[in-house]
Amino acid sequence: MGDWRAWACLLGLGSLFAAAAVQALRRRAHWAFWALLPPLFLLPTAHVLPFCALGAQRLFYFPSLSVAAAFGALAGAGAVNRRWVSVAAAVFIACYLMLAVRRSAVYSTELGYYADVVAGNPVSYGARVGYGLALVRGGRQESAAAEFRQAAALDGRGYAAYYNLGRLAWDAGKLERAEGLLTQAYALSPKSAAVSAFLGLVAEARGRPREAEGFYTTALEIQPLEPVAMHNLGLLYFREKKDAQGRAVLERFLAAFPDDEAAPRIREFLAGLGGDRGL
């Protein structure tokens, strides 16, 4: 609400549509240029010119309005052949369609989308983290770690970069490094249930079950349906011979996440409590 640039752009766009209404009433021959070109050229300028490097999509309004106004002015000028104006508009639209198809092909994949966003705005913390997560899902952990480190360098106050670096360290079996990174994330965002849950995993893996229980409990206090905390706290209770509490937590887990990849194993475990309780 307080972004005056966005309001200025919106005011400019509204003014052009007001002009379109006036043209439609006074000079019906040219109303199509004024009424249709603004929405038509709102996105084309994003495809034709790399305005994403400015890091503000609201600035697309300005070149869009300029293109629309130029075609409208040319169409209304008596000295210009209207047929050539129409041909020029058709060529512009055809070029836009080709560029739009090409851009859509890039945006059809998560990796392509975030790579383009980072290329356009390399100083964006959120873009770097998003690209890193896309790389993780694509199995490119080393590249993902580089993006998370770049994000941390851009904004040391953001916890997501440290959290995801900690997760990568956990996946690589580097428990000490994982704990250090997750502790940094926790210091920046103590109300993050995901960070607390992963700190619990690390504490448990390093032989500190009481501390792990505290982190899992904290995570569930913040977010009662945090899946990592529910799953691992339930199992931890069973290992500590707190069967009733463990069953209650795991049953809540199954009710909340019946399709989780761990759900079949948990169901089998609960069904076979009469035998070996190891899991």
Side-chain angles (χ1 to χ4, degrees):
M1 292 297 290
D3 190 339
W4 66 268
R5 297 178 185 85
W7 283 106
C9 295
L10 183 60
L11 178 62
L13 190 60
S15 299
L16 188 60
F17 273 93
V22 173
Q23 288 293 323
L25 292 172
R26 293 182 178 177
R27 304 177 62 181
R28 292 178 178 274
H30 310 304
W31 70 269
F33 281 101
W34 292 96
L36 298 180
L37 287 185
L40 188 62
F41 290 112
L42 186 60
L43 289 178
T45 49
H47 292 295
V48 174
L49 298 172
F51 285 105
C52 57
L54 299 174
Q57 291 188 4
R58 58 177 173 264
L59 297 176
F60 294 165
Y61 288 128
F62 291 123
S64 301
L65 295 176
S66 300
V67 171
F71 275 107
L74 287 172
V80 179
N81 189 317
R82 295 172 190 167
R83 179 178 298 176
W84 288 112
V85 175
S86 299
V87 170
V91 171
F92 196 95
I93 293 168
C95 291
Y96 159 64
L97 289 175
M98 289 188 292
L99 290 167
V101 169
R102 189 178 304 169
R103 180 63 60 87
S104 297
V106 172
Y107 281 13
S108 64
T109 65
E110 185 183 34
L111 275 174
Y113 169 77
Y114 278 109
D116 190 70
V117 171
V118 168
N121 191 7
V123 295
S124 169
Y125 177 87
R128 291 284 183 182
V129 171
Y131 189 30
L133 290 171
L135 287 166
V136 169
R137 287 187 280 270
R140 297 166 57 183
Q141 277 73 14
E142 289 186 10
S143 297
E147 291 300 324
F148 294 142
R149 285 193 291 270
Q150 286 271 13
L154 287 169
D155 184 1
R157 298 169 299 174
Y159 83 95
Y162 295 110
Y163 167 68
N164 286 291
L165 283 169
R167 290 193 61 168
L168 288 176
W170 163 266
D171 291 340
K174 301 175 181 178
L175 299 184
E176 184 175 353
R177 176 165 173 74
E179 186 166 25
L181 289 163
L182 290 168
T183 300
Q184 283 181 276
Y186 184 81
L188 293 167
S189 183
K191 294 298 183 182
S192 169
V195 172
S196 292
F198 256 87
L199 276 170
L201 283 178
V202 174
E204 190 173 358
R206 302 194 73 183
R208 306 196 303 268
R210 297 280 183 151
E211 186 177 337
E213 182 179 340
F215 278 123
Y216 294 145
T217 302
T218 297
L220 292 174
E221 288 172 354
I222 298 169
Q223 184 179 329
L225 296 181
E226 210 295 319
V228 173
M230 291 179 74
H231 173 266
N232 289 282
L233 179 60
L235 297 178
L236 179 60
Y237 278 148
F238 274 105
R239 282 191 285 273
E240 294 183 338
K241 312 300 182 184
K242 301 176 182 178
D243 292 15
Q245 290 171 272
R247 177 184 283 276
V249 173
L250 291 181
E251 285 178 348
R252 286 204 309 273
F253 173 83
L254 291 175
F257 307 102
D259 299 321
D260 189 271
E261 61 179 10
R265 188 159 47 94
I266 295 299
R267 290 191 189 96
E268 183 180 357
F269 170 68
L270 291 177
L273 284 178
D276 183 11
R277 295 189 310 172
L279 187 65

